[in-house]
Amino acid sequence: MAFPSGEIDQGTEGADRLPVVRFTTAGLPAGERFAAWSRTVSALFDRCAPHPRRGGAGFSASLTAYHFGAFLLCHSRADAARYLRSAQRSRLDDLDHYLIHLPLQQAGGFASGSGADDTMRRLRPMDMTIIDLALPSGYVAGAGEAISLIVPRAGLSLLLRDPDRQHGRILRREQPMAAMLAQQLIALNGIAPRFGLHEATALASTVIGLAAVCLGFDTPATARAPPVPSPPAAKESLARRVRAYIEQNLHRETLTPELIVRELAISRSQLYRQFESYGGVRHYVRRRRLRQSLLAICNPLQSGQRIADIAYEKGFSDEAHFSRLFRDAFGLSPREARRAVQRGDAALLAAILPAASSADMGEQAPFAHWIRELAIA
């Protein structure tokens, strides 16, 4: 079933299936279709324009997005359009994700800046490009299908050799590692509607790990992105710098506001302002530790690791205290979470993935809500 308004699809796949958002312009008046599509992708791009020769009349597009807990997998079909993410937008919304984009039939172009003078580099079907949403960019898409993987920086950057120089990279379809990643994304998209929650949760870290391995291989000089200077105003914003530091130091028991202030040479008031919307610095650190612990506990590759050892690795010094915090956060104990994954208990695994209820999203559209909450999940 498709929803013209882009509402969450509840109940069509069953309670044990992945949360899914579907949007389509089908059924909308021809004059309203492009505006509806622009609103949907506005979670990522602040400007969207139809192909100049066609205009927005009769524009057609659809989007299906699956939430795997640690990343979003999106499949789109759309007529030709241009998408821009400005430097101002990058500063204001503070998104900190990588977008790995794979056009299936459509040719297009990518520019690692949003200005009119930025060089557009050609992207062929089955070539992949990496967009760092912390930076401005421009993308021209031909008519056709595409698959996108949206991963928060915190989930991928620690696995990459050069996490801050991914923006604008193009992985050409002739490269074996690029071809393998492309085929895996295509397969994942085809199977996603059939995944149970326990399967998707167990698979999430493997997918991110595979993406990191494939991105870790050097590309030929002709496909490598040109150096992308950070715009002065966006030169690793304070919030991103602090979040990156926290992510790299979650294992340290001594990770406190005092330590962050001292090691990053910032004031206490600067630090606290960055985390007001997260409930404070300590709350944010605790939430990230718990989330990382949850992903480790649900990872089948770590099924033999003691839960106490996982807790200590994530910066908790007391197993009993960790278990209480874990239950408060997710509604089940660490051991119950591990057993839920092992037996595929959908009712318990639902605590791992975002709520599929628009009542929990306030004024945000479902896809925009997912993009925003992915940063702190």
Side-chain angles (χ1 to χ4, degrees), residues 282-298:
R282 294 180 189 277
H283 180 79
Y284 178 84
V285 170
R286 185 186 312 122
R287 186 169 179 174
R288 290 302 305 156
R289 282 174 168 163
L290 288 169
R291 184 67 183 181
Q292 291 300 312
S293 299
L294 174 64
L295 294 176
I297 287 168
C298 294

Side-chain angles (χ1 to χ4, degrees), residues 94-175:
D94 204 33
L95 285 187
D96 209 12
H97 309 330
Y98 296 108
L99 191 157
I100 303 172
H101 185 70
L102 172 68
L104 301 181
Q105 302 100 9
Q106 54 177 251
F110 175 78
S112 54
S114 59
D117 297 331
D118 292 301
T119 303
M120 189 68 65
R121 303 168 68 229
R122 184 168 178 261
L123 197 65
R124 303 166 301 170
M126 299 301 292
D127 288 342
M128 273 184 292
T129 188
I130 296 90
I131 301 174
D132 186 336
L133 293 173
L135 296 170
S137 61
Y139 182 71
V140 174
E145 295 181 65
I147 295 174
S148 298
L149 188 71
I150 303 175
V151 187
R153 186 183 303 273
L156 187 57
S157 62
L158 296 181
L159 304 176
L160 297 172
R161 279 204 309 259
D162 205 352
D164 295 326
R165 293 184 66 84
Q166 298 298 317
H167 187 55
R169 283 186 61 191
I170 294 179
L171 281 65
R172 297 299 184 186
R173 62 195 184 193
E174 294 84 5
Q175 298 171 247

Side-chain angles (χ1 to χ4, degrees), residues 27-249:
L28 293 177
E32 298 177 13
R33 293 177 185 176
F34 187 77
W37 176 246
S38 296
R39 287 193 297 272
T40 298
V41 299
S42 66
L44 298 169
F45 302 98
D46 49 327
R47 281 177 278 170
C48 180
H51 191 283
R53 286 200 292 268
R54 286 198 57 182
F59 186 87
S60 176
S62 64
L63 172 72
T64 302
Y66 295 96
H67 204 311
F68 279 73
F71 63 83
L72 304 182
L73 181 73
C74 307
H75 175 240
S76 61
R77 289 186 181 90
D79 287 340
R82 180 184 178 96
Y83 305 90
L84 293 174
R85 181 170 174 81
S86 67
Q88 182 182 28
R89 175 64 177 274
S90 299
R91 292 193 299 271
L92 290 175
D93 67 13
D94 204 33
L95 285 187
D96 209 12
H97 309 330
Y98 296 108
L99 191 157
I100 303 172
H101 185 70
L102 172 68
L104 301 181
Q105 302 100 9
Q106 54 177 251
F110 175 78
S112 54
S114 59
D117 297 331
D118 292 301
T119 303
M120 189 68 65
R121 303 168 68 229
R122 184 168 178 261
L123 197 65
R124 303 166 301 170
M126 299 301 292
D127 288 342
M128 273 184 292
T129 188
I130 296 90
I131 301 174
D132 186 336
L133 293 173
L135 296 170
S137 61
Y139 182 71
V140 174
E145 295 181 65
I147 295 174
S148 298
L149 188 71
I150 303 175
V151 187
R153 186 183 303 273
L156 187 57
S157 62
L158 296 181
L159 304 176
L160 297 172
R161 279 204 309 259
D162 205 352
D164 295 326
R165 293 184 66 84
Q166 298 298 317
H167 187 55
R169 283 186 61 191
I170 294 179
L171 281 65
R172 297 299 184 186
R173 62 195 184 193
E174 294 84 5
Q175 298 171 247
M177 296 301 276
M180 183 175 74
L181 180 57
Q183 291 301 321
Q184 291 299 318
L185 293 181
I186 291 170
L188 188 64
N189 178 69
I191 300 170
R194 296 158 48 195
F195 272 132
L197 290 178
H198 66 293
E199 296 164 324
T201 303
L203 190 63
S205 60
T206 302
V207 172
I208 292 176
L210 175 64
V213 170
C214 294
L215 296 181
F217 275 72
D218 288 331
T219 61
T222 55
R224 197 173 300 141
V228 181
S230 298
K235 195 173 243 182
E236 199 178 17
S237 75
L238 178 59
R240 292 190 185 105
R241 187 157 62 97
V242 175
R243 287 200 300 266
Y245 176 84
I246 289 173
E247 208 66 27
Q248 294 162 8
N249 291 276

